[in-house]
């Protein structure tokens, strides 16, 4: 399994989590940046800049999970853990 695959397979363990994986994606969407959960097609929120979207995603994911940040071409650029550190 690749290093990214290992990171993405992290499970949340908080109350009520039922072992689900909490992953948010920051990705380009029609010239703007969206924050969406891994299992959702619909964005939670949309921002004019990637930086603003990353800040929002980090706030949402503080308790458990990771944020996968994509570049403007949609490829994975970097991953942020629940502590706010880039992996």
């Amino acid at each position: 399994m690749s290093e990214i695959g290992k990171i993405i397979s992290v499970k949340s363990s908080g109350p009520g989590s039922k072992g689900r994986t909490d992953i948010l994606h920051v990705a380009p969407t029609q010239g703007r940046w969206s924050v969406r959960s891994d299992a959702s097609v619909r964005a939670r929120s949309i921002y004019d800049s990637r930086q603003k979207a990353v800040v929002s995603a980090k706030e949402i994911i503080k308790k458990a999970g990771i944020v996968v940040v994509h570049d403007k071409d949609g490829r994975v650029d970097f991953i942020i853990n629940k502590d706010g550190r880039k992996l």
Side-chain angles (χ1 to χ4, degrees):
M1 179 181 284
S2 72
E3 197 61 33
I4 290 179
K6 289 177 188 173
I7 292 167
I8 290 177
S9 68
V10 171
K11 301 285 184 187
S12 65
S13 58
S17 68
K18 296 182 183 174
R20 76 175 186 276
T21 303
D22 290 328
I23 302 173
L24 291 181
H25 291 265
V26 172
T29 305
Q30 299 177 352
R32 297 172 77 191
W33 292 90
S34 65
V35 175
R36 67 174 180 79
S37 24
D38 197 42
S40 177
V41 175
R42 191 173 180 166
R44 287 175 162 242
S45 51
I46 298 178
Y47 298 89
D48 291 327
S49 74
R50 184 170 92 157
Q51 182 179 5
K52 289 179 183 178
V54 169
V55 168
S56 173
K58 285 168 67 174
E59 284 298 314
I60 294 167
I61 209 75
K62 268 185 177 175
K63 295 187 178 167
I66 60 173
V67 177
V68 178
V69 181
H70 298 263
D71 65 14
K72 65 181 179 179
D73 296 323
R75 293 179 295 223
V76 174
D77 192 13
F78 58 92
I79 297 173
I80 301 171
N81 70 4
K82 67 180 181 179
D83 299 326
R85 292 182 290 159
K86 284 185 184 180
L87 303 176

